[in-house]
């Protein structure tokens, strides 16, 4: 019965938080979070016994992962369906970060005693969605880890330098953008080359973390999963730790990925021309609409190259399907993707793996 009441209360809090976020009301959002915590405002660690501390930590984790995280996911869906703008998404995310800070502040008195160990949490270079990594960091802190949270867009060389300086026991890498997978692969291999195991998390690493495993990293589906894996003491990389990233992916020997990346500008230019020819509506586009179209084509080529990198047509097909939904929500006919795909099929006709990936998405 107590669990049912807790779930009902959480459901109510989710709606209250969502309304506060929708109105960009930071004070109200933080008030909802603090109320959901249900913990006393205890300022001194000596006021807390072990049982109370555990209750506070459990409450904090529940609010982070079962209240704030679902609200942030809902923000992403609202943007995808064109219900909110990019600016509104950024404003809401900023408030969500303040809510996370409120949880950290309220539960700080419960976090005492020796550290379990030290870990580093960061987003891969180019990844600006830092909220998942922030949530992981706070959950790990509540579970007794000393966490160096480096935030968004961390260049690999600085990541490795920091892990060596701090002697962290593990690196947790977050990414939601699949086109960053080659860079993530380099970061994983670079950390492992200095003897530090890597846990990867985020949508970029594919269904069930398939790309993380391809790159010889552990995969954590969420913050709780990351904490569980760390508790199991992830193993050392092994004798092949100093390998080059390409050694994990023998298919890259055909050079298709590198050649597509090198010819990206020309591919985008020619595809734009072919889309203008095959999608007459584009001739009435404003300068801004043309600019957005160029960006979309650039994304298509980048995702194609990434699908070639990991040798998975599914990655590209999922992106094209998602793009079609995004375009449809914004009043752009998804059929405008056909001439783009057909153009790339013609330009890359001598690249068998790329042709197979494009054909699968076109179908």
């Amino acid at each position: 019965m107590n669990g049912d009441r807790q779930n009902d209360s959480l459901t109510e809090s989710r709606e209250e938080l969502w309304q506060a976020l929708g109105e960009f009301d930071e004070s109200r959002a933080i008030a909802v979070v603090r109320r959901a915590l249900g913990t006393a405002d205890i300022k001194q660690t000596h006021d807390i016994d072990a049982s109370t501390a555990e209750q506070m930590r459990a409450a904090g984790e529940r609010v982070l992962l079962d209240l704030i995280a679902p609200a942030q996911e809902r923000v992403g869906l609202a943007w995808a369906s064109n219900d909110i703008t990019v600016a509104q998404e950024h404003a809401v995310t900023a408030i969500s970060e303040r809510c996370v800070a409120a949880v950290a502040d309220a539960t700080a008195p419960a976090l005492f005693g020796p550290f379990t160990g030290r870990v580093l949490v960061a987003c891969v270079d180019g990844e600006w969605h830092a909220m998942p990594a922030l949530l992981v960091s706070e959950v790990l802190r509540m579970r007794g880890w000393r966490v160096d949270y480096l935030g968004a867009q961390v260049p690999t060389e600085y990541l490795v330098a920091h892990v060596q300086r701090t002697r962290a026991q593990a690196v947790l890498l977050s990414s939601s953008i699949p086109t960053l997978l080659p860079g993530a692969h380099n970061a994983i291999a670079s950390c492992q080359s200095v003897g530090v195991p890597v846990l990867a998390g985020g949508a970029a690493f594919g269904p069930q973390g398939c790309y993380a495993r391809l790159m010889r990293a552990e995969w954590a589906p969420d913050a709780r999963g990351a904490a569980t894996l760390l508790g199991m003491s992830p193993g050392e990389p092994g004798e092949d730790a100093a390998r080059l990233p390409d050694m994990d992916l023998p298919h890259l020997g055909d050079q298709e990925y590198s050649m597509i990346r090198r010819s990206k500008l020309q591919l985008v230019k020619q595809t734009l021309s072919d889309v203008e020819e095959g999608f007459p509506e584009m001739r009435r586009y404003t300068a801004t609409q043309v600019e957005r179209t160029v960006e979309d084509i650039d994304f298509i080529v980048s995702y194609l190259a990434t699908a070639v990198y990991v040798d998975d047509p599914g990655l590209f097909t999922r992106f094209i399907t998602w793009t079609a939904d995004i375009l449809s929500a914004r009043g752009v006919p998804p059929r405008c993707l056909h001439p783009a795909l057909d153009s790339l099929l013609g330009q890359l006709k001598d690249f068998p793996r790329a042709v197979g990936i494009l054909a699968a998405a076109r179908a």
Side-chain angles (χ1 to χ4, degrees):
M1 293 295 292
N2 182 57
D4 292 339
R5 287 196 299 271
Q6 192 177 78
N7 289 334
D8 290 342
S9 175
L10 195 59
T11 299
E12 182 179 341
S13 296
R14 283 174 181 160
E15 289 307 312
E16 291 177 354
L17 179 59
W18 180 247
Q19 291 174 11
L21 292 174
E23 296 169 7
F24 313 109
D25 190 336
E26 180 178 313
S27 297
R28 183 180 167 199
I30 292 175
V32 171
V33 165
R34 286 177 173 161
R35 187 169 64 251
L37 280 170
T39 55
D41 187 20
I42 303 172
K43 295 300 183 184
Q44 301 297 325
T45 58
H46 59 70
D47 292 333
I48 305 174
D49 58 25
S51 176
T52 301
E54 182 55 36
Q55 290 176 7
M56 292 178 69
R57 286 193 290 266
E61 184 172 310
R62 184 171 62 251
V63 169
L64 287 173
L65 302 184
D66 300 330
L67 177 59
I68 298 175
Q72 194 63 24
E73 291 175 7
R74 194 168 173 179
V75 171
L77 293 174
W79 172 82
S81 59
N82 206 30
D83 293 332
I84 63 173
T85 66
V86 171
Q88 290 172 318
E89 184 269 334
H90 285 192
V92 171
T93 299
I95 296 174
S96 294
E97 291 172 347
R98 293 287 295 127
C99 289
V100 173
V103 175
D105 181 64
T107 56
L111 307 181
F112 56 87
F115 288 116
T116 301
R118 187 170 187 172
V119 296
L120 186 155
V121 179
C123 297
V124 302
D125 196 5
E127 176 60 70
W128 63 85
H129 299 96
M131 179 60 74
L134 179 61
L135 291 170
V136 169
S137 295
E138 293 306 325
V139 168
L140 293 180
R141 283 195 181 101
M142 290 180 184
R143 295 202 183 193
W145 291 89
R146 179 176 178 180
V147 180
D148 290 354
Y149 170 64
L150 303 190
Q153 305 195 76
V154 182
T156 296
E157 60 267 30
Y158 298 118
L159 180 74
V160 174
H162 191 81
V163 77
Q164 289 181 298
R165 183 180 304 114
T166 61
R167 298 182 180 179
Q169 294 166 244
V171 171
L172 290 86
L173 283 178
S174 175
S175 183
S176 62
I177 307 173
T179 52
L180 300 178
L181 281 172
H185 191 190
N186 180 53
I188 289 168
S190 296
C191 290
Q192 291 176 339
S193 72
V194 296
V196 181
V198 177
L199 277 67
F205 292 99
Q208 303 302 309
C210 57
Y211 307 134
R213 296 190 178 95
L214 185 69
M215 298 169 185
R216 302 192 188 182
E218 294 282 355
W219 177 68
D222 50 32
R224 291 187 177 103
T228 299
L229 281 171
L230 285 175
M232 296 169 61
S233 299
E236 295 297 327
E239 295 179 357
D240 61 345
R243 71 189 186 282
L244 294 173
D246 289 2
M247 293 172 63
D248 295 337
L249 309 175
H251 58 264
L252 293 180
D254 62 14
Q255 298 297 306
E256 285 198 26
Y257 169 74
S258 59
M259 287 187 283
I260 291 173
R261 293 296 302 178
R262 282 200 298 266
S263 59
K264 181 180 177 182
L265 290 178
Q266 180 57 39
L267 288 170
V268 171
K269 182 179 179 181
Q270 183 59 52
T271 302
L272 177 64
S273 176
D274 292 341
V275 169
E276 290 175 336
E277 181 68 25
F279 187 65
E281 291 94 327
M282 188 177 166
R283 297 166 191 167
R284 296 190 295 272
Y285 277 11
T286 64
T288 299
Q289 288 175 311
V290 172
E291 184 179 348
R292 296 289 87 80
T293 302
V294 173
E295 290 177 354
D296 288 342
I297 295 172
D298 187 275
F299 280 132
I300 289 172
V301 176
S302 294
Y303 270 84
L304 172 62
T306 305
V308 169
Y309 186 88
V310 297
D311 200 30
D312 181 16
L315 185 152
F316 188 67
T317 298
R318 288 190 296 273
F319 167 71
I320 289 297
T321 302
W322 176 83
T323 300
D325 290 339
I326 295 294
L327 292 173
S328 182
R330 286 153 178 76
V332 179
R335 61 185 173 80
C336 70
L337 292 169
H338 291 165
L341 296 176
D342 290 341
S343 174
L344 289 170
L345 276 166
Q347 294 179 72
L348 297 172
K349 61 181 183 299
D350 296 325
F351 294 72
R353 286 200 296 121
V355 166
I357 291 168
L358 285 163
R362 182 67 171 79

